Amino acid sequence: MSSERLAALLDEYAELEKRLADPALHADQGTARRVGRRYAELVPLHKAAGELEQARADLAAARELAAEDPSFAAEAESIGAGLPALEERLAELLIPRDPHDAKDVIVEIKAGEGGEESALFAGDLLRMYTRYAERHGWLTEVIDAQDSDLGGVKDVSLAIKTKGVPEGGNGVWSRLKWEGGVHRVQRVPVTESQGRIHTSAAGVLVLPEAEDVDVTIDPNDLRIDVFRSSGPGGQSVNTTDSAVRITHVPTGITVSCQNEKSQLQNREQAMRILRARLLAAAQEQADAAASDARKAQVRTVDRSERIRTYNFPQNRITDHRIGYTAYNLDLALAGDLDGVLDALAEADRAARLAGEPDLSRR
C-alpha cells in the first residue's frame, strides 16, 4: 500500500470538501459538477482509510488493556482478525481507476452485415440500453438516428446520463464501457419465409461524453456542410437544409446530425458527438503509447469479430471475452443487463488487481 499516494488522495479529498462548501463554486455549475464527481470518487477511499485507522487504534487500545486484564484478549484478537479485510479494501481503492468512470456516455449503434435484419437488431439494442438506463434512473436522449424501412435503425447515437453526481463516482461509463464491439444475433428474421436461422450483426461504440475542458477544438480545423435531411428509403423529412455534417480536418473524423429541425441544434448535437470521439481518439493514442498490446473497441461490423452473441432459439446470451453464458436473453433485451455487466466488472476488477490493463482497453 502506497502511504504517499494515500496521503495525497486524502489531502485532495479535504481540499475538494472545502471547495464544495464555498458558495462561489456553485456559480459555475459545470465546475461544481466536475468537483462533485471527483469528490464522490474519493468518498469510499476516505471512508475506508478512516475505518482502518479506527480499527488499528482500537486494536492498540485492546492490546494495552489485555496486558492488564486478560478478558480483553479476545476483543483484541477479534479486531486483529478484521484488519486484513480492511487493508485489502483500501489497497483496492488505491489502484488507479478509470478516469472516465464518473462520466456520462454516448452510445453509437450501427447496423452491419445482414441488411434489414441487422437494422432491426440494432433497434433491439437501442431499446435494450434505453430500458437498462430507465432501470437505473438515468436520462436518455437520442441525438441522431437514421431509421430503416421496417422499423429498425441503420445508425443511432444515444446519450445516457446520470441525474446529478453519481454515487461513489460510478457514472454511466463505469457500467457500459465494456459494451463497445460487435454484437451478433442468431434468429429467424421477420423477412425469412422458410424459417431458417440467420446470423447478422450490429456494431456498438461507447464513448465517454466529453466536456469543453476535456477537448480543445480549433474552429479553423472544422469543415461544416449543410444538407437536406432524409428519412427511410430516401424520403425527405425536412424541406430545408437543416442537416449538418462536421469534419474535423486534422483527424478526418466526420459527424452528421439531422434529427433536429434547426441547423443550429443539429450543429450543437454534432459537436457533442465530435468532442466524445476526439476524447476517445486521444485516449486510444495514450493507451497505445502505454502498451501496444491493448486493443481498441471493434470499429468494423464483421460477424467474425464479435464480443457477444444473442441466440434467440436458445434464449441465450453469451459474452465471448469472459466466457459468460446465461439463458435469459428475453430479460436482457428488456434491460436486465446486470448479470453480464456484473461479470464483466468482476473480471475487470481481477485484472486491475493483477496489474493488467483495464478490460475495456485490452
Side-chain angles (χ1 to χ4, degrees), residues 20-352:
L20 286 169
D22 184 356
L25 173 71
H26 301 277
D28 183 342
Q29 289 301 310
T31 301
R33 182 172 170 82
R34 287 192 294 275
V35 172
R37 281 178 171 177
R38 179 56 178 162
Y39 178 79
E41 289 179 2
L42 294 177
V43 165
L45 176 76
H46 178 266
K47 181 180 179 182
E51 290 175 350
L52 179 58
E53 182 180 4
Q54 185 61 54
R56 285 172 172 168
D58 291 345
L59 177 60
R63 283 175 172 171
E64 185 176 338
L65 291 170
E68 301 175 2
D69 184 346
S71 64
F72 285 97
E75 181 179 351
E77 183 177 348
S78 175
I79 296 172
L83 283 181
L86 293 174
E87 290 170 344
E88 182 179 351
R89 170 63 175 157
L90 184 57
E92 181 180 337
L93 289 169
L94 281 170
I95 297 174
R97 63 183 296 168
D98 187 325
H100 299 315
D101 271 353
K103 288 186 178 294
D104 300 323
V105 305
I106 294 176
V107 179
E108 297 185 9
I109 306 171
K110 299 179 185 295
E113 295 183 12
E116 189 63 43
E117 163 62 8
S118 178
L120 289 170
F121 177 52
D124 291 337
L125 293 177
L126 172 62
R127 285 185 289 275
M128 179 180 76
Y129 292 126
T130 300
R131 289 167 179 169
Y132 182 74
E134 291 171 352
R135 284 171 174 259
H136 286 263
W138 297 336
L139 303 173
T140 61
E141 174 193 3
V142 174
I143 298 176
D144 193 57
Q146 296 181 38
D147 299 329
S148 69
D149 293 329
L150 295 183
V153 291
K154 298 177 183 178
D155 192 343
V156 62
S157 296
L158 176 72
I160 306 178
K161 58 181 63 180
T162 57
K163 297 178 181 177
V165 176
E167 184 177 353
N170 296 313
V172 184
W173 173 261
S174 72
R175 290 299 284 172
L176 295 185
K177 60 184 172 181
W178 303 292
E179 291 301 286
V182 173
H183 295 239
R184 183 177 68 170
V185 62
Q186 296 171 327
R187 65 182 175 188
V188 178
V190 294
T191 54
E192 169 60 52
S193 59
Q194 302 298 318
R196 294 172 297 185
I197 295 174
H198 286 224
T199 297
S200 60
V204 175
L205 181 62
V206 184
L207 305 169
E209 180 151 13
E211 300 178 45
D212 291 339
V213 296
D214 296 323
V215 177
T216 300
I217 300 177
D218 186 342
N220 295 321
D221 288 339
L222 302 179
R223 184 174 69 245
I224 302 175
D225 303 302
V226 296
F227 57 97
R228 188 160 298 177
S229 302
S230 61
Q235 187 176 21
S236 177
V237 296
N238 195 327
T239 57
T240 62
D241 292 335
S242 61
V244 174
R245 180 185 300 108
I246 300 179
T247 302
H248 185 250
V249 177
T251 61
I253 294 175
T254 298
V255 178
S256 298
C257 277
Q258 62 177 8
N259 263 33
E260 304 296 339
K261 293 182 179 180
S262 81
Q263 188 181 121
L264 178 60
Q265 290 174 313
N266 281 321
R267 176 171 174 161
E268 290 175 349
Q269 298 290 47
M271 286 298 295
R272 287 177 65 184
I273 299 175
L274 178 61
R275 279 194 295 268
R277 289 189 184 177
L278 287 173
L279 178 62
Q283 184 65 61
E284 283 182 18
Q285 290 177 358
D287 290 344
S291 172
D292 291 334
R294 292 185 183 182
K295 293 180 290 185
Q297 295 181 44
V298 177
R299 292 297 193 274
T300 59
V301 189
D302 180 338
R303 286 180 302 208
S304 65
E305 298 184 26
R306 82 283 189 204
I307 63 165
R308 190 175 298 154
T309 294
Y310 303 74
N311 185 292
F312 276 69
Q314 299 177 14
N315 196 35
R316 170 174 58 84
I317 180 171
T318 298
D319 194 288
H320 304 285
R321 295 164 294 182
I322 57 173
Y324 173 92
T325 293
Y327 294 87
N328 62 346
L329 176 58
D330 53 339
L331 296 178
L333 290 173
D336 187 3
L337 281 173
D338 281 328
V340 62
L341 294 182
D342 285 345
L344 285 162
E346 181 54 35
D348 179 70
R349 172 182 174 275
R352 289 188 297 109

